[in-house]
Amino acid sequence: MSRRAEPSERPDSLPRFHRLSKIEPILYLAPFLVGVIVFTLYPVIHVVFISLMEDYNYLTRAFSRFGLGNYISVLGNKYFIQALSNTFIYVLLVIPIATCIALAAANMLNQKLKLTGLFQTAYFLPMVTSVTAVGLAWRFMFNERIGIVNFLLSLVGIDPVGWLTKAEWSMPALVIYGIWNILPFTIILLLAGLQSVNPMFYTAARVDGSKGARIFFKITVPLLAPTIMLTTIVNTISAFKVFNELFPLFKGQAGPFYNLYTVVYFIYEQMSGKPRLGRAASAAMVLFAVILALTLIQLLIQRRWRGTGKG
Amino acid sequence: MSKTARAAIYAGLILGALIMVFPFYWMFVSAFKTTQEINRFPPTWLPGSLRFDNFAIAFQKSPFARYFLNSVIVTASCVVCTGFTTILGAFAFSRLKFPGREVIFSILLSLLMIPFEMVIITNYTTIIHLGLNDSLPALIAPFTSSIFYTYILRNFFMTVPDGLYHSARVDGASNWRFLWRILVPMARPSLVTIMLLNALVSWNSFMWPLIVIKTTANRTLPFGLYAFTTESGSNPELMMAASTVVVLPMIILFLFARKSIVNGVARGGMKG
Amino acid sequence: MKVELSRVTKRFGGTVAVDGFTATLADGQLIALLGPSGCGKSTLLNLLAGILPATGGRIFFDGDDVTAWPPERRGVGLVFQNYALYPHMTVAQNISFPLEIKKVPKPERARMIREIASMVHVEDLLDRRPDALSGGQQQRVAIARALVKRPRLLLLDEPLSNLDARLRLEMREEIRRVQRETGVTTVFVTHDQEEAMSISDQIVLMRDGRLQQCAPAQTLYHNPVNRFAAEFLGNPPINQIPGTVSGNRFTLKNGGAEIPLPFDAGLADRPAILAVRAESFQLDEDGVPCVIADMFEIGKEEMASLTIGGESVRAYLPLEAPTRKGDTVRVRLKPRGVFLFDGKTGDRL
């Protein structure tokens, strides 16, 4: 393509003597930047201020004073503490399980078998469908009296479980649905990682006499480590925002006994009814802090793996 | 690979596929059952008859046609607007020279990690102050530009050799003409992927409509569906019929454009 | 169209790509812009096209000062090394694109496309897309696209370097033919001296952004203005021997031999570089003795690697059968292809 040897010679800009050229970039950028500034950049800055404004009224934009009042009240709120702990439990259950299942599924999908297209369609379907709509199907499947899940359990002699009605079973139900939901995305990322592994490594292993499971754990998993790490972090960030899943399962409540608050659900609740945006904002700041930390870890990993060079 | 290993893998794949597809199967099947049949235990694996009454009843009880239309309007508007701003923005960031280009772009990239749940608070007040509260434009306005898609498209634009641009300019083509006659047709696969992902996200969007929409007539499908389950009792067969209506368009889209969507997700993930 | 460049300069930040370049390119000629990579020749081409603005100096097309003109106003056609065909358009659409922009009416367009396509022999490929064409065919289409709008100046940026050796020969004849047929003033950039010498009317030799020499190929070869010009043209590279010149005698720096020159340099005891083309040696009973270090046959000619007083040189010599490695032969220099250069500045003495 273009000769790298003469970088200084490559024309990189058009003549400045074009009449339009000064304002032209602005015209091209304006539609894009207006949206970004109004609905992303400004809100990011603004939300910090809101979180510090006590008794903020979003209609009059009045507030009583600047301070950490919102943070104190949020961090002292038992529902927020519950939300934090629920969210962490949810993430800690969903991510490892989903990653392991996805790894197995991706590895199977990566074999040169027939009908891969059909299998892929089946595995990836939940990714494109509404969390609300499929959640309703799960709610019906989890039904204590007539649900298919309890029917299947009854076949192995387990008594009906109150998945959506008992406090102790509501988290497992949410987690199962969460795993099922996050699987397609995880499988796709891991499959892409697998497909980028140089087949040379497998040939070498096979020549050395290694077999299936051994190859998987000694070759595939280590080579895939960076992909697994990144997938885990991306998934963790999205699992931290668990919210939508609650609505179909628990009729819009945070669990059968208000026992399943999550961070985003808390934020949502502060915004609905009689909005308390200051509190919502400070809760959002806490969420952001967690996501920021995860993102920084992600960047660090990406840099390290880029530095050492991948396979 | 040995025959037993191959059989084991097929068995594993089939089991997994059944688990992944089962909720959809159950949704579709239940949508055709009668109230008596659906309450039967043990459940029946196939409906006694193919009756579409559940759909009719659901559409009667709740204005799903209206919801569907709203969803189409909102999704189409978001996709068109985002597509337009993304094409122009990606062109500016890849081809045009202006002071601070790289700085501005890195600031935008750093905004990628901002969760939507964080900006939603201010956006809510912005929508109210713009007088858009509880209207369809409120569902469109915040989603007319996407840093993520602009980033993807800019990366594609950067791979187009300079020569194409320069020869078009020497031939007298303006930037505008070059963009729409040369660059956009060349970027069609990337653009299609971007628009598909955008359509999926937009169609399935839930939290934002939940916050800004109050009037029944302005609901989109997922929100309308959720509202239906709380307002119209919880007849599972009606719920499943309504869910089918929400899910089916995206399933059809996916069957036709699986490769494009999967590649898009694999390349950059879906910003949700 | 006559092109005049007057003190044209282009800087990129701190680096000077083109430095006070002055030259006149005559109307209707095929001009090769020759130089090693990084010498600024592509930049100069882009300055001519208007893709890059000049930092200083003026460019005139037929007396018009076009320095500040945008590319589309200059009426130039441009062909790139990688052809830069629009991949989503057919050959016909590619060729048609410049005409569309000029708002040429459709029937007229079709006629012009057919005409130019048959001139470059791509009339059978009009419905294909670029990815279905070979490199040579792509280059023909690129030339057709550049010519279809009847430019006043055709610019080709390394047009042959992406082609394999055989196609390269074929395409350079084609470029020559098409240029003759259209009579359009043509500038093509190349780093290949053989390419430049074989088809151009005029060679513009560049180094480090500066003009070295602007002359027809034969003049450049037989009368280089400096050591760089002598070095850059010719294959095998010109032989260079350091030493001292006095009148018509040249003494090697290591004192190993004294070579009689075919001319009187008019200098006394002047350190210099003696440059001799390989074909400028001839056998002579009274010549300087030298040892045959090696012999090769290149095509129908014999090439010998000789050692003269410790310096090795390469020479074409009609050596007879009994001669073998290690033998001593006597040679003298022909009047043509022998030059003296200043060792430091490289200027011709």
Side-chain angles (χ1 to χ4, degrees):
Chain A
M1 301 300 275
S2 63
R3 286 138 296 146
R4 294 276 145 87
E6 302 181 34
S8 63
E9 282 194 22
R10 297 319 302 171
D12 52 359
S13 65
L14 268 176
R16 268 179 219 113
F17 35 73
H18 283 270
R19 268 169 299 137
L20 262 174
S21 67
K22 273 259 165 58
I23 55 160
E24 203 180 9
I26 301 171
L27 295 176
Y28 278 85
L29 281 176
F32 170 70
L33 282 186
V34 165
V36 169
I37 291 170
V38 175
F39 291 106
T40 305
L41 188 61
Y42 159 68
V44 168
I45 300 161
H46 190 234
V47 76
V48 179
F49 285 99
I50 298 188
S51 77
L52 294 169
M53 294 171 176
E54 292 175 16
D55 307 311
Y56 176 78
N57 182 320
Y58 68 98
L59 290 175
T60 60
R61 293 192 165 137
F63 60 97
S64 59
R65 66 185 191 96
F66 256 122
L68 293 172
N70 292 319
Y71 287 91
I72 293 165
S73 101
V74 162
L75 291 171
N77 186 311
K78 80 169 190 189
Y79 287 111
F80 186 71
I81 300 304
Q82 190 212 90
L84 267 180
S85 103
N86 276 336
T87 307
F88 271 102
I89 293 169
Y90 176 81
V91 167
L92 287 175
L93 287 171
V94 167
I95 302 305
I97 300 173
T99 307
C100 290
I101 298 175
L103 198 55
N107 198 46
M108 291 193 291
L109 285 171
N110 194 37
Q111 309 296 330
K112 307 263 173 298
L113 295 176
K114 282 174 202 153
L115 302 174
T116 325
L118 197 66
F119 282 124
Q120 281 197 7
T121 309
Y123 279 82
F124 301 158
L125 215 45
M127 193 182 59
V128 300
T129 48
S130 155
V131 170
T132 314
V134 189
L136 288 176
W138 277 93
R139 169 164 144 200
F140 177 48
M141 285 160 60
F142 276 136
N143 187 296
E144 187 174 357
R145 191 170 53 83
I146 54 172
I148 189 88
V149 175
N150 280 350
F151 167 70
L152 293 174
L153 290 177
S154 75
L155 295 181
V156 290
I158 296 174
D159 288 338
V161 174
W163 293 102
L164 304 176
T165 49
K166 297 271 168 8
E168 69 269 28
W169 286 108
S170 53
M171 178 61 100
L174 182 66
V175 166
I176 291 172
Y177 179 42
I179 292 172
W180 182 86
N181 239 339
I182 212 169
L183 269 179
F185 177 71
T186 318
I187 296 173
I188 287 178
L189 290 193
L190 292 177
L191 188 58
L194 278 175
Q195 281 163 351
S196 71
V197 169
N198 193 331
M200 178 187 87
F201 290 110
Y202 295 118
T203 316
R206 227 162 272 137
V207 169
D208 295 342
S210 297
K211 289 238 170 72
R214 209 182 142 77
I215 293 181
F216 180 72
F217 286 108
K218 294 281 172 185
I219 312 273
T220 310
V221 173
L223 281 174
L224 213 56
T227 313
I228 296 173
M229 284 301 285
L230 291 180
T231 311
T232 304
I233 289 169
V234 173
N235 271 342
T236 305
I237 291 173
S238 89
F240 242 97
K241 300 190 261 185
V242 55
F243 167 75
N244 195 169
E245 289 82 349
L246 289 166
F247 281 76
L249 290 184
F250 305 106
K251 302 182 189 175
Q253 293 172 5
F257 302 101
Y258 299 98
N259 60 325
L260 275 189
Y261 270 90
T262 66
V263 175
V264 176
Y265 193 93
F266 183 87
I267 297 172
Y268 159 75
E269 207 180 59
Q270 298 301 317
M271 290 179 68
S272 53
K274 181 177 170 289
R276 274 176 288 201
L277 296 188
R279 285 220 222 156
S282 49
M285 291 302 291
V286 174
L287 174 75
F288 176 64
V290 175
I291 287 172
L292 182 66
L294 288 166
T295 308
L296 291 178
I297 296 171
Q298 175 187 359
L299 289 178
L300 260 164
I301 293 170
Q302 267 169 337
R303 191 156 303 162
R304 227 189 75 193
W305 281 98
R306 211 167 287 154
T308 53
K310 210 177 121 184
Chain B
M1 201 186 310
S2 72
K3 259 195 177 153
T4 44
R6 194 181 291 262
I9 288 171
Y10 269 118
L13 279 174
I14 290 167
L15 179 71
L18 286 179
I19 293 172
M20 296 314 281
V21 173
F22 187 79
F24 297 102
Y25 170 77
W26 208 233
M27 183 196 289
F28 301 154
V29 166
S30 306
F32 291 100
K33 289 181 179 175
T34 61
T35 312
Q36 291 87 339
E37 193 181 0
I38 209 152
N39 280 304
R40 209 169 289 157
F41 194 87
T44 51
W45 294 99
L46 280 170
S49 63
L50 262 188
R51 53 193 288 280
F52 286 85
D53 293 8
N54 291 338
F55 294 91
I57 298 169
F59 271 67
Q60 230 168 46
K61 283 193 160 185
S62 212
F64 275 104
R66 177 78 225 181
Y67 299 163
F68 197 95
L69 182 67
N70 288 344
S71 270
V72 170
I73 292 171
V74 169
T75 301
S77 307
C78 285
V79 169
V80 169
C81 290
T82 310
F84 185 71
T85 62
T86 298
I87 288 170
L88 296 191
F91 179 68
F93 279 116
S94 63
R95 266 281 153 227
L96 302 179
K97 279 273 167 184
F98 51 91
R101 187 176 96 166
E102 299 311 311
V103 177
I104 294 172
F105 199 69
S106 8
I107 293 172
L108 291 176
L109 282 187
S110 69
L111 287 179
L112 271 180
M113 68 174 170
I114 301 296
F116 180 68
E117 289 75 3
M118 189 174 158
V119 297
I120 210 168
I121 299 160
T122 303
N123 286 351
Y124 178 51
T125 67
T126 305
I127 288 296
I128 288 171
H129 288 287
L130 287 175
L132 296 176
N133 194 26
D134 194 15
S135 69
L136 289 187
L139 300 179
I140 301 163
F143 308 103
T144 57
S145 49
S146 157
I147 300 172
F148 181 62
Y149 299 144
T150 304
Y151 170 67
I152 301 247
L153 196 61
R154 181 199 82 129
N155 285 356
F156 176 81
F157 283 173
M158 304 255 271
T159 64
V160 173
D162 287 351
L164 259 56
Y165 181 58
H166 293 312
S167 52
R169 295 309 309 259
V170 167
D171 288 341
S174 58
N175 278 327
W176 183 257
R177 192 153 191 156
F178 172 73
L179 175 61
W180 294 102
R181 271 304 305 274
I182 311 289
L183 221 43
V184 167
M186 282 180 71
R188 235 181 63 191
S190 294
L191 266 172
V192 167
T193 302
I194 286 171
M195 289 179 147
L196 285 171
L197 294 183
N198 195 358
L200 289 177
V201 172
S202 184
W203 185 268
N204 294 332
S205 154
F206 181 73
M207 188 178 183
W208 181 245
L210 193 62
I211 288 170
V212 291
I213 296 300
K214 309 281 182 294
T215 314
T216 310
N218 287 336
R219 289 170 180 165
T220 52
L221 269 180
F223 179 26
L225 175 66
Y226 159 69
F228 174 69
T229 67
T230 54
E231 289 164 2
S232 310
S234 49
N235 277 14
E237 72 279 14
L238 298 184
M239 253 163 52
M240 292 301 98
S243 299
T244 304
V245 174
V246 178
V247 157
L248 219 46
M250 290 302 116
I251 291 184
I252 291 167
L253 188 69
F254 183 65
L255 292 180
F256 279 105
R258 190 190 84 230
K259 284 219 168 102
S260 205
I261 291 171
V262 170
N263 286 345
V265 172
R267 239 187 306 160
M270 192 143 56
K271 262 301 260 187
Chain C
M1 185 184 71
K2 189 172 84 172
V3 178
E4 286 163 279
L5 295 135
S6 165
R7 309 199 50 74
V8 173
T9 300
K10 176 68 192 174
R11 270 189 289 274
F12 293 102
T15 53
V16 182
V18 175
D19 192 1
F21 196 99
T22 301
T24 300
L25 313 177
D27 182 31
Q29 289 205 323
L30 179 55
I31 297 129
L33 202 50
L34 177 68
S37 68
C39 73
K41 54 194 190 300
S42 286
T43 306
L44 191 63
L45 198 79
N46 286 321
L47 292 172
L48 285 172
I51 289 171
L52 289 174
T55 317
R58 306 246 141 256
I59 301 172
F60 300 92
F61 285 2
D62 271 345
D64 294 330
D65 183 348
V66 301
T67 321
W69 287 14
E72 64 269 20
R73 227 185 121 188
R74 297 193 184 192
V76 298
L78 197 52
V79 174
F80 288 90
Q81 178 184 358
N82 50 19
Y83 325 124
L85 297 178
Y86 308 125
H88 60 291
M89 295 185 184
T90 63
V91 168
Q93 288 167 333
N94 262 286
I95 300 176
S96 159
F97 187 67
L99 300 176
E100 274 170 50
I101 292 167
K102 282 180 113 181
K103 301 206 170 67
V104 176
K106 242 191 174 156
E108 175 79 355
R109 239 191 271 165
R111 194 186 54 73
M112 290 170 85
I113 293 168
R114 267 200 312 276
E115 195 180 294
I116 200 74
S118 71
M119 174 186 272
V120 301
H121 304 319
V122 294
E123 61 269 49
D124 299 333
L125 308 173
L126 286 174
D127 295 328
R128 297 222 199 142
R129 280 180 202 272
D131 55 12
L133 302 181
S134 71
Q137 289 169 334
Q138 289 190 43
Q139 191 57 288
R140 286 171 190 270
V141 176
I143 292 170
R145 188 180 64 185
L147 284 175
V148 71
K149 54 176 184 175
R150 311 235 165 89
R152 306 155 78 192
L153 177 65
L154 177 64
L155 304 169
L156 306 127
D157 192 355
E158 303 257 10
L160 304 173
S161 44
N162 274 14
L163 301 174
D164 63 42
R166 196 183 54 78
L167 264 177
R168 205 176 298 169
L169 284 176
E170 183 190 316
M171 275 314 291
R172 77 185 190 202
E173 296 309 321
E174 279 295 290
I175 290 174
R176 169 89 270 193
R177 179 182 65 79
V178 169
Q179 194 271 332
R180 286 251 165 82
E181 273 177 41
T182 56
V184 62
T185 311
T186 302
V187 177
F188 80 98
V189 162
T190 179
H191 60 265
D192 182 341
Q193 50 99 10
E194 199 201 327
E195 205 171 286
M197 289 179 67
S198 59
I199 58 167
S200 60
D201 298 313
Q202 191 90 205
I203 292 178
V204 174
L205 183 65
M206 273 184 89
R207 179 169 72 150
D208 296 339
R210 292 216 184 87
L211 175 68
Q212 303 294 307
Q213 192 169 5
C214 174
Q218 289 311 308
T219 312
L220 209 63
Y221 188 76
H222 293 297
N223 203 5
V225 292
N226 59 23
R227 189 175 165 189
F228 172 76
E231 258 171 16
F232 201 76
L233 278 81
N235 189 21
I238 195 162
N239 297 296
Q240 299 184 54
I241 308 163
T244 313
V245 62
S246 244
N248 61 358
R249 307 206 70 78
F250 185 83
T251 315
L252 266 57
K253 199 174 182 184
N254 57 22
E258 197 182 66
I259 304 172
L261 298 177
F263 50 80
D264 189 333
L267 296 163
D269 274 341
R270 172 77 150 83
I273 302 281
L274 173 66
V276 185
R277 300 240 180 251
E279 65 272 22
S280 297
F281 292 93
Q282 69 183 77
L283 294 170
D284 185 39
E285 289 301 313
D286 305 324
V288 186
C290 45
V291 179
I292 298 177
D294 212 343
M295 292 161 66
F296 333 82
E297 224 171 284
I298 298 178
K300 53 186 201 298
E301 295 198 78
E302 283 286 346
M303 153 87 69
S305 178
L306 307 174
T307 313
I308 308 177
E311 292 284 345
S312 21
V313 297
R314 275 182 286 185
Y316 287 113
L317 287 172
L319 295 169
E320 306 277 305
T323 328
R324 50 180 66 174
K325 266 199 241 179
D327 288 359
T328 300
V329 291
R330 287 174 171 273
V331 298
R332 72 176 175 89
L333 305 182
K334 294 180 188 173
R336 250 190 160 188
V338 179
F339 320 104
L340 287 166
F341 299 109
D342 184 287
K344 287 207 184 66
T345 63
D347 290 342
R348 180 92 176 266
L349 296 175

